[in-house]
Amino acid sequence: MLPPASALATTTSGFLLVLSIAIPVAGILLAFTLGDRYVRQVALAVVPLGLAIAGAILLAVPQGGGLIVYLLGAWSPPLGVALRADGLSAVMLATTAIVICVVAVFATTDFRPASDARTSFAFWILLLAVWAALNMIFVGGDLFTLYVALELLTFAAVPLVSLDGRAETLQAALRYLVFALLGSVLYLLGAALLYGFYGTLDMVLMSRVVSAQPGVLIAVALMTIGLLAKTALFPLHLWLPSAHAGAPAAASAILSGLVVKGSFFILLRLWFDVIPGLPSFAAAQFLAALGTGAIVIGSVVALRQERLKLLVAYSTLAQIGYLFLMFPLAVNAVGQLETGQALAAGLLQTISHATAKAAMFLAVGSIYTELGHDRITGLGGAARVLPLSVLTFAVGGLALMGVQPSGAAFAKELLLQEAMRTGQWWWAAVLHAGGMFTTAYVLLVLAFALAPSDQPIAPIQTALPRRDLAALALATCSLLLGLVPWEPYLPISHDVMPKLFSRDGLAKLLLSVLGGATLAILLNPWRHPLAASSGWKAMGKVLEPLRRICFRFGDLVDKADSILRQWAAAGISLLLLGLALAVLMFAAN
Amino acid sequence: MSGVTVFGSFAAAAIGLGLYGLITNPRPLRKIIAFNLVGSGVFLLFGIVGRRGTAAGVGNDPVPQALVITGIVVAFSATALAIALLLRLFQTGGPLTLGSRAPPGPRSDPSGD
């Protein structure tokens, strides 16, 4: 992915990379200087500027031969620090800029200085801080810069969780912080070991010399589990549901859409850029197996939630698992990871989830402010009172389900092709199951929101169309991602598009809709308003025994989830995962 | 036994003890201290990594020292943030454990359905 020869000298548009980090930081400093009366204006001035820089990088990367580099202070690695942006970075920078932009528009009404000066000040500062840290992750060229960026991201994300200052959210934030610190210290330990072996932390230099020594494999295993803890891959998700569901809507959108992608992106860099030469077939299978666990547990628990926000948070857990299915599909014939179509598909999935999930959290936030609650069973009639919010949720949900031409559908098609090509049919089965589960929880929410209500709903706040339109625009973006020309940035072959719209593609969609509807009926414990109708009762009688079994299964999964979210269980599974990864990599080498 | 081995073992011991405390101890303050213990172990390891250059006759490698300084600043900020959150949690009278009961949703309304 990074052509090594040209990666060690500054290119002409390299200064854009510095600007992408410096502009949000300058915004933060300016906001601190001007005080909390002007913080919103400063943020709203910085956001378009940052968007323009992301756009400029997007244009500059193909012109620079797929890579732009900036050497800080003209010191070349290993002593200096290099910033590099390739196609992956450019795409992630642009996505982040767009999501931040929409969240900023959404939040202008929530966080105005008049309402609560301290909360509003903190929100805008943290929004810019998250942005700066993410940009640093996307362009950072050595493992220590990435560590610092990762920590900055955590320090900006944790206070976002506890913006409203309630005891539960403070507790959620503290739990998130301590577990994230455990993850980052393990990452740092791995980086220290790697520096001890090779005397450099620059990714390009290291990828040239890295070899399969036991110490290196242990370092990689440590860094991997550290990053997994920060990405909240099952079974290391103890902090995610409470943190993502407890935060205010705009903050949840950032946390769920963008923040977990930061550590995931570093994981991609580590596996695909630093150690692609080490055979890792077994370890990749293992990562995807954890992803499968995340899809099943996350989706089943999501389907059993009573609150909409928690459902969306658990859906994030499942979708994170989905991202890890790309690892085994990127393994080539000799067992090494290669940067081909599978990586491109994984990145598309990342982007598509970032936009769709952020839009869904914003929609849920609107529903919550206007109805005053977010109980799924109490959503009846919401579609009539809050058409825009429900529509946003529906569009975001459709994009996540993989309705053509969404990014998710495109990514799934690419991954299925890779699964067929490499003969790993079992991952194709998991991909289909994942699609069905996603469909299940989206359909479930829509079924309740579209149902007629017997009592009139009085919204406690009037609708603000500007907020909802911003979220809707983001959801639509996600739904149209498949139509964007990706070739300059990601290695995608041209023959996927026609297949996406063929009869075959539509059949796959139909399959996941039918499967999803069945799963939603079987696993959801709440009574739908239409459940009293006669046709439904007849069907209910047939399904009753099956439903009872599914309830048992759901209870079991719930229990397993609450055990896994204990500290001791999460800590022990963290260490066991590290051990397993190291053993699998030893065995392969 | 060379100095590198001795210090290496101490680093490993600090990391191991810290990890044990971080995972098993239910109290947040002790978890934060345990995190600092792991951090100290890692910084010690970085120091040894720099020290190993001496054997090759190039003196001490300055890069790990720079990294350790940065790492200490980061760990310090992390501790400060964690303590601030903990104090705030204490002031609001919330539960002072990090166990995960039912995750908090948005404020519940008592009316039910």
Side-chain angles (χ1 to χ4, degrees):
Chain A
M1 180 186 337
L2 295 173
S6 60
L8 297 173
T10 300
T11 54
T12 42
S13 39
F15 67 97
L16 286 172
L17 304 182
V18 181
L19 283 184
S20 74
I21 302 169
I23 293 278
V25 175
I28 296 171
L29 294 178
L30 193 63
F32 269 114
T33 324
L34 294 179
D36 52 7
R37 256 195 298 168
Y38 298 101
V39 63
R40 201 162 62 115
Q41 281 88 329
V42 170
L44 292 180
V46 166
V47 166
L49 212 55
L51 194 63
I53 290 168
I57 293 177
L58 210 55
L59 291 178
V61 164
Q63 283 172 3
L67 183 70
I68 51 181
V69 183
Y70 186 87
L71 300 182
L72 289 182
W75 287 78
S76 62
L79 212 50
V81 168
L83 302 179
R84 299 193 187 92
D86 55 2
L88 301 188
S89 325
V91 169
M92 290 303 292
L93 285 168
T95 311
T96 306
I98 290 170
V99 174
I100 296 259
C101 198
V102 168
V103 170
V105 172
F106 184 91
T108 42
T109 45
D110 279 5
F111 297 102
R112 53 169 90 237
S115 58
D116 177 1
R118 272 184 63 190
T119 310
S120 138
F121 185 69
F123 174 79
W124 291 108
I125 294 277
L126 293 171
L127 181 75
L128 295 179
V130 165
W131 197 4
L134 279 169
N135 284 355
M136 199 162 152
I137 285 178
F138 299 142
V139 304
D142 72 272
L143 295 174
F144 193 77
T145 308
L146 292 182
Y147 163 74
V148 176
L150 197 60
E151 289 292 54
L152 285 178
L153 185 61
T154 308
F155 296 165
V158 167
L160 275 179
V161 173
S162 59
L163 269 183
D164 60 2
R166 281 178 297 135
E168 300 114 293
T169 59
L170 282 167
Q171 198 199 15
L174 191 57
R175 193 184 310 144
Y176 175 20
L177 178 62
V178 174
F179 202 67
L181 288 178
L182 173 60
S184 55
V185 84
L186 290 175
Y187 174 87
L188 186 64
L189 179 58
L193 289 174
L194 283 182
Y195 186 84
F197 282 109
Y198 299 118
T200 180
L201 286 167
D202 188 79
M203 292 197 289
V204 170
L205 292 181
M206 194 180 288
S207 65
R208 291 184 192 164
V209 289
V210 75
S211 63
Q213 307 169 41
V216 172
L217 297 180
I218 289 173
V220 169
L222 282 170
M223 292 171 92
T224 306
I225 52 167
L227 292 170
L228 291 185
K230 288 208 157 193
T231 317
L233 177 64
F234 163 87
L236 308 175
H237 61 278
L238 86 160
W239 58 269
L240 188 139
S242 52
H244 284 191
S252 295
I254 298 172
L255 290 170
S256 207
L258 298 176
V259 170
V260 288
K261 309 294 161 46
S263 44
F264 179 71
F265 191 81
I266 298 182
L267 194 70
L268 291 187
R269 283 274 185 241
L270 178 67
W271 282 69
F272 284 88
D273 282 353
V274 180
I275 57 155
L278 307 184
S280 43
F281 179 77
Q285 298 283 332
F286 181 63
L287 284 180
L290 292 181
T292 310
I295 292 174
V296 175
I297 302 262
S299 307
V300 171
V301 180
L303 282 171
R304 296 168 57 84
Q305 291 306 316
E306 195 184 356
R307 292 188 180 282
L308 189 51
K309 242 185 151 178
L310 268 172
L311 181 144
V312 183
Y314 269 104
S315 126
T316 298
L317 180 63
Q319 295 289 322
I320 288 171
Y322 211 80
L323 294 181
F324 281 84
L325 295 182
M326 61 176 274
F327 279 88
L329 301 179
V331 171
N332 65 11
V334 283
Q336 298 176 341
L337 284 179
E338 63 179 6
T339 56
Q341 202 157 280
L343 176 62
L347 201 75
L348 262 175
Q349 182 69 39
T350 312
I351 296 166
S352 139
H353 177 252
T355 41
K357 186 51 65 68
M360 282 164 89
F361 258 121
L362 294 180
V364 172
S366 291
I367 291 173
Y368 177 64
T369 19
E370 284 164 37
L371 292 185
H373 72 87
D374 68 341
R375 273 174 290 108
I376 295 170
T377 42
L379 282 182
R384 202 156 35 78
V385 191
L386 315 162
L388 266 181
S389 307
V390 175
L391 181 65
T392 307
F393 189 91
V395 173
L398 290 179
L400 214 55
M401 276 159 61
V403 172
Q404 285 81 351
S406 72
F410 198 25
K412 188 174 167 188
E413 183 61 41
L414 287 171
L415 286 175
L416 284 174
Q417 276 186 13
E418 288 298 292
M420 289 304 123
R421 196 178 60 79
T422 53
Q424 303 182 49
W425 54 267
W426 53 95
W427 298 127
V430 175
L431 280 165
H432 282 302
M436 282 182 202
F437 273 122
T438 313
T439 313
Y441 46 73
V442 172
L443 286 185
L444 175 75
V445 174
L446 290 182
F448 277 104
L450 295 175
S453 154
D454 38 359
Q455 61 221 31
I457 318 177
I460 58 170
Q461 249 181 34
T462 45
L464 294 156
R466 180 177 38 162
R467 290 163 40 127
D468 287 336
L469 285 178
L472 185 59
L474 190 61
T476 318
C477 270
S478 185
L479 196 57
L480 299 179
L481 275 179
L483 300 176
V484 176
W486 293 106
E487 286 77 20
Y489 306 101
L490 304 173
I492 292 175
S493 59
H494 288 277
D495 60 335
V496 183
M497 226 37 219
K499 268 195 193 152
L500 204 55
F501 291 102
S502 67
R503 197 176 295 163
D504 195 32
L506 293 177
K508 278 174 195 160
L509 180 65
L510 198 64
L511 179 75
S512 70
V513 169
L514 287 178
T518 319
L519 280 172
I521 291 169
L522 287 179
L523 282 165
N524 181 254
W526 316 113
R527 260 173 77 85
H528 190 266
L530 292 180
S533 69
S534 58
W536 193 263
K537 268 188 180 154
M539 203 167 98
K541 242 173 226 160
V542 181
L543 284 176
E544 202 46 45
L546 196 56
R547 263 193 96 168
R548 219 168 287 152
I549 297 173
C550 287
F551 278 157
R552 272 301 142 67
F553 173 67
D555 280 339
L556 215 64
V557 171
D558 252 356
K559 224 166 264 168
D561 175 63
S562 63
I563 291 172
L564 284 174
R565 283 193 291 109
Q566 303 294 325
W567 267 89
I572 290 167
S573 43
L574 181 76
L575 297 182
L576 285 181
L577 290 189
L579 200 66
L581 269 175
V583 167
L584 287 174
M585 281 194 286
F586 274 128
N589 288 282
Chain B
M1 201 192 258
S2 71
V4 170
T5 322
V6 174
F7 283 111
S9 327
F10 273 106
I15 292 170
L17 280 174
L19 278 182
Y20 177 78
L22 199 50
I23 290 168
T24 58
N25 210 309
R27 295 205 173 160
L29 188 59
R30 304 225 173 148
K31 273 195 200 299
I32 295 166
I33 293 171
F35 156 73
N36 274 288
L37 193 58
V38 184
S40 306
V42 176
F43 300 147
L44 187 56
L45 192 71
F46 258 120
I48 303 155
V49 162
R51 193 71 197 143
R52 281 209 315 203
T54 331
V58 288
N60 216 333
D61 184 356
V63 175
Q65 295 179 14
L67 300 186
V68 167
I69 298 288
T70 316
I72 288 173
V73 173
V74 171
F76 171 72
S77 328
T79 312
L81 180 57
I83 298 288
L85 277 176
L86 188 58
L87 278 176
R88 194 88 182 89
L89 186 60
F90 180 68
Q91 283 166 359
T92 53
L96 284 179
T97 59
L98 293 180
S100 30
R101 294 164 297 108
R107 253 158 295 205
S108 55
D109 58 338
S111 64
D113 76 326

